[in-house]
Each structure stands twice: as structure tokens, then as C-alpha cells.
Amino acid sequence: MTSSHTDCHYCLQSLRGRKYALREENAYCVTCYDSLFANPCEECKQPIECDSKDLAYKGRHWHEGCFKCAKCSRSLVEKPFAAKDEVLLCTECYSNEYSSKCFHCQKTIMPGSRKMEFKGSSWHESCFVCQYCQQPLGTKPLITKDNENYCVPCFEKQFAHHCYSCKKVITSGGVTYHDQPWHKECFVCAGCKTQLSGQRFISKDEYPYCVDCFSKLYAKKCAACKKPITALGGAKFISFEERQWHGECFNCVKCSVSLVGHGFLTRQDDVLCHECGSA
């Protein structure tokens, strides 16, 4: 360009009738401007002169003709591109080299497009949907089954067990009793309502009871000690004429010898060994 500026700010030579460049309101001849301020091209390392287009990206500069894909050499001027380790690539080359593939459709996830990541795999946003209702999952809570993703409501409809007691969904854990699922907190003694998960219990008429409640409500009483006979843990008991004894309580009423496995005699409500009974 020509101007009314008279001299180059650096070499002081006359600018009359000559091209010049302005920088911070000072005029420079083209030669001085290029030597002082021209950026070096990242590709050819030559200065980008003031009469050339200077293309800049993240503090680096290129001639227009040097701004091209490092792999296929196609021009990137006014085209989308991506950078990898400071190397510029067209989107096609970048995708072939570095882009992940969608776990669902197996197609490349193009640079600049939004992708979802879950359990080490990537999805197109449009592919990351509930397997049942096909609605986008985004960042909503989800449950995976057989490598398929489900929103929580759909998973519960399709697969979740419902507690036999409260009818609500069992999301984790639980107890199985009479082939029915229960929440641990719902599986309680039919008598005292104590939680039975992990505890010994006795079933009666399809209801579970803790040992204490069952003993109080249903267990036979020992004819000798009057305590309940539960037969838990393999304990032995003896039954005779509608009476029952703990194995350790079935003794001669006089000499206290054990009658388990031996003959005995009865006298009213007492049981006696042969020796005491014959005396």
C-alpha cells in the first residue's frame, strides 16, 4: 500500500511510492517488516511475509499453502481438522488413526462429535440408548445386563425381582424363601418381627419364625424339665404315649441313670429303669 507516511520507522528510508506495513501506528518498509515481525512457518520454516496469508493455530503459524494434513497432504484451509501431538490431520486421517469406534454400531466416532463413555467403551450419543425403550441414556442411572444397557425403570420391568412381602423391587442382595424373593429387611419372624437373614429359623405353615418364637408358640414341652423341645441342630428327643423328653432328660426318676436306648418301666407319670421299677 502507499501512504502519506514518509520514512520507514526502522531503516528510515523514504516510503514515498513504496509499499509498507503498519504496526502499532508505525510504518515499516516491507523488507524491514518481514525481517522484524514475520512469523516462521511451521512447515517450511520460512518467514510468512506481509503480503502472504498467515494462518495461525494455538500460537503456531503456516503459509496458506503449507497448512495441510500431515498424513495425506490435503489442504486444511477452511476445512475441519484435528491435532494429535501437535500434528495437524484432516478429520478422515485422524479418524482412521485415532478415533474410537462406537461399541453399538462399530462405526468411527468422528472428531468434534459428542461421544459417551461407559465401562471403558465409547458410543455415539445417538447409539447410547436403553435397549428396551430406545430412549437416550445420557448421564442417567443405568443397569447393564448381557452387555446391553437399560434405564432403571425398564430394567425393573423386565428383569428385577419384587419382594414377596412389600412387593417393591429388590435392587441388590435379597433372600429366597419358599422359592420367593424377599428384601433382607422384610424377611422377619412372623412372631416378633426380628430380621431372620443369616439367622436360624423354623418354618411353620409357610411362615418363618425365630427359634424363640417357634419354641414359645409350637414346640412340645419336655416332660422332665418343661422346656421346649425344638430338635434344632440334630438334638435327640424321646416320645412315649404323647409325652416327649429331651434325650438328656430321659432318665430314671429315682437313680437318674439314662434310659436312652434301654428298657424302662412307667409308674403313673414317672419313668424308671428296670432295677428301680422292680424294687
Side-chain angles (χ1 to χ4, degrees):
M1 65 177 68
T2 58
S3 173
S4 59
H5 287 83
T6 57
D7 299 321
C8 171
H9 183 72
Y10 185 74
C11 69
L12 302 180
Q13 291 187 19
S14 174
L15 296 177
R16 294 184 182 277
R18 299 171 61 191
K19 290 183 178 180
Y20 69 93
L22 290 174
R23 184 179 177 87
E24 296 178 355
E25 298 185 358
N26 294 317
Y28 298 84
C29 67
V30 172
T31 301
C32 288
Y33 184 90
D34 288 343
S35 64
L36 292 172
F37 306 116
N39 295 305
C41 175
E42 286 286 328
E43 178 65 20
C44 69
K45 310 305 180 184
Q46 297 299 312
I48 303 174
E49 299 171 341
C50 65
D51 57 352
S52 299
K53 183 177 287 188
D54 184 335
L55 301 179
Y57 174 71
K58 290 189 174 180
R60 296 185 294 157
H61 301 264
W62 289 261
H63 289 104
E64 185 174 14
C66 295
F67 194 62
K68 54 191 178 183
C69 173
K71 189 170 181 65
C72 69
S73 298
R74 285 184 290 187
S75 174
L76 298 177
V77 177
E78 297 183 359
K79 294 180 180 178
F81 64 91
K84 179 69 175 179
D85 299 329
E86 297 189 352
V87 175
L88 302 185
L89 299 166
C90 64
T91 54
E92 184 176 344
C93 288
Y94 182 89
S95 298
N96 292 336
E97 290 290 318
Y98 304 109
S99 291
S100 53
K101 294 188 181 298
C102 176
F103 183 83
H104 178 72
C105 70
Q106 295 301 308
K107 294 181 180 179
T108 298
I109 301 175
M110 298 297 290
S113 61
R114 189 175 180 185
K115 70 176 180 179
M116 310 302 296
E117 294 186 347
F118 179 64
K119 290 187 175 180
S121 298
S122 301
W123 281 263
H124 291 109
E125 186 178 22
S126 58
C127 291
F128 194 58
V129 298
C130 170
Q131 176 68 16
Y132 185 72
C133 68
Q134 298 298 307
Q135 293 301 306
L137 290 170
T139 57
K140 294 187 296 186
L142 61 93
I143 301 173
T144 301
K145 180 178 173 62
D146 299 331
N147 288 327
E148 299 289 357
N149 300 320
Y150 298 84
C151 63
V152 174
C154 286
F155 183 86
E156 291 179 351
K157 289 177 184 177
Q158 293 294 106
F159 306 109
H161 295 294
H162 290 75
C163 177
Y164 183 77
S165 175
C166 70
K167 310 306 179 185
K168 295 181 180 179
V169 171
I170 300 173
T171 56
S172 62
V175 175
T176 299
Y177 172 68
H178 281 294
D179 296 326
Q180 298 292 345
W182 302 61
H183 289 113
K184 286 184 178 180
E185 58 271 22
C186 293
F187 188 61
V188 298
C189 171
C192 66
K193 307 305 179 185
T194 300
Q195 287 191 24
L196 296 176
S197 178
Q199 307 297 321
R200 292 193 303 174
F201 65 91
I202 303 171
S203 178
K204 173 70 173 175
D205 300 329
E206 297 189 356
Y207 291 99
Y209 291 86
C210 67
V211 174
D212 288 342
C213 286
F214 183 85
S215 297
K216 293 175 183 177
L217 295 173
Y218 301 109
K220 302 291 185 180
K221 300 295 191 297
C222 175
C225 70
K226 309 305 180 185
K227 294 180 180 179
I229 300 173
T230 62
L232 285 175
K236 294 181 179 179
F237 70 97
I238 291 86
S239 179
F240 176 71
E241 292 183 349
E242 298 184 356
R243 289 185 294 165
Q244 290 81 28
W245 290 261
H246 293 110
E248 62 273 18
C249 294
F250 192 56
N251 303 320
C252 174
V253 73
K254 284 191 174 183
C255 68
S256 300
V257 68
S258 175
L259 299 177
V260 177
H262 301 285
F264 62 91
L265 300 172
T266 61
R267 182 179 297 162
Q268 296 179 349
D269 290 335
D270 296 331
V271 289
L272 301 139
C273 64
H274 278 293
E275 185 175 346
C276 292
S278 300

